[in-house]
């Protein structure tokens, strides 16, 4: 089970759509206003792993293809919204409010990185969906917290430098799209 713990830590702390969006939310709205987003990812992914790990074994392969492409579209749209977020001095466009708990929870079901983490974790390691969900439940607050606290820490600093803030938002958006390209180049199956 220690091998799965290492897998879970690495997959949850590396850049991906959830971490990029959470960091952007921390920059834009601060830590407190981003807590529902944080909790939605934490509990939403844990639920995906617990229930989805079991249910996904019954889903026909063709549904995975549609889900994958739907996820690509959603992530590309969100990446666009993150990349075009206006600087702190321009409050009316881009990310206007942080994800809610429900939005972040539901996003887990169309996030290709999350679905691949759940499916590959259950198939590559000899663990149950309950064990895997408990490990992610324990690890995700740390992994997500790193990204949220970095975003929150950058918030005041970036408010004084609109150009650097723009670069950070564009980089976060591009990292989301980059994770899609990686999943296309190295498919899980």
């Amino acid at each position: 089970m220690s091998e799965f713990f290492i897998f879970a830590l690495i997959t949850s702390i590396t850049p991906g759509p959830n971490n990029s969006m959470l960091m952007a939310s921390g920059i834009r709205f601060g830590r407190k206003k981003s807590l529902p987003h944080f909790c939605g990812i934490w509990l939403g992914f844990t639920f995906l792993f617990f229930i989805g790990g079991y249910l996904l074994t019954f889903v026909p392969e063709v549904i995975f293809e549609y889900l994958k492409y739907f996820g690509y579209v959603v992530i590309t749209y969100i990446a666009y919204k993150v990349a075009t977020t206006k600087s702190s001095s321009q409050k009316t466009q881009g990310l206007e409010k942080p994800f809610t708990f429900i939005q972040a929870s539901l996003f887990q079901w169309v996030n290709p990185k999350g679905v691949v983490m759940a499916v590959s974790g259950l198939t590559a390691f000899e663990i149950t969906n309950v064990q895997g969900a408990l490990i992610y439940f324990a690890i995700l607050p740390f992994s997500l917290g790193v990204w949220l606290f970095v975003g929150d820490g950058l918030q005041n600093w970036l408010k004084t430098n609109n150009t650097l803030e723009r670069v950070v938002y564009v980089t976060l958006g591009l990292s989301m799209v980059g994770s899609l390209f990686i999943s296309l180049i190295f498919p899980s199956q």
Side-chain angles (χ1 to χ4, degrees):
M1 197 165 356
S2 61
E3 300 88 6
F4 181 78
F5 181 88
I6 293 167
F7 169 83
L9 180 62
I10 291 170
T11 57
S12 64
I13 203 165
T14 53
N18 279 326
N19 294 336
S20 295
M21 290 187 323
L22 194 56
M23 184 176 173
S25 184
I27 291 169
R28 182 74 173 170
F29 307 109
R31 181 178 60 241
K32 287 183 182 178
K33 288 184 180 179
S34 299
L35 281 178
H37 187 175
F38 172 93
C39 290
I41 295 170
W42 175 30
L43 299 177
F45 183 78
T46 301
F47 184 74
L48 167 70
F49 202 96
F50 178 70
I51 298 295
Y54 175 73
L55 294 177
L56 290 174
T57 60
F58 299 106
V59 176
E61 187 67 30
V62 69
I63 299 297
F64 278 113
E65 285 299 312
Y66 288 112
L67 180 63
K68 178 174 67 174
Y69 292 115
F70 179 70
Y72 291 165
V73 170
V74 170
I75 290 173
T76 301
Y77 171 74
I78 293 171
Y80 169 77
K81 294 295 279 182
V82 168
T84 60
T85 297
K86 299 301 179 194
S87 65
S88 300
S89 61
Q90 302 169 321
K91 298 280 187 188
T92 59
Q93 296 180 2
L95 293 176
E96 297 175 17
K97 59 183 180 173
F99 263 31
T100 65
F101 174 84
I102 298 295
Q103 288 171 320
S105 295
L106 292 176
F107 177 72
Q108 304 317 301
W109 293 85
V110 296
N111 177 2
K113 181 182 177 188
V115 172
V116 167
M117 285 166 53
V119 172
S120 62
L122 283 167
T123 57
F125 298 92
E126 292 184 20
I127 60 159
T128 66
N129 59 327
V130 174
Q131 291 169 322
L134 287 173
I135 289 171
Y136 271 113
F137 182 80
I139 287 176
L140 283 172
F142 168 75
S143 299
L144 297 171
V146 167
W147 290 86
L148 179 58
F149 277 90
V150 168
D152 184 59
L154 290 172
Q155 184 183 42
N156 290 330
W157 189 57
L158 292 177
K159 281 183 181 179
T160 61
N161 189 334
N162 289 341
T163 303
L164 186 56
E165 185 178 21
R166 164 84 5 250
V167 168
V168 168
Y169 284 134
V170 169
T171 301
L172 289 171
L174 289 174
S175 75
M176 291 173 69
V177 174
S179 70
L180 296 180
F181 285 118
I182 291 171
S183 71
L184 287 170
I185 294 169
F186 304 106
S188 61
Q189 297 168 1

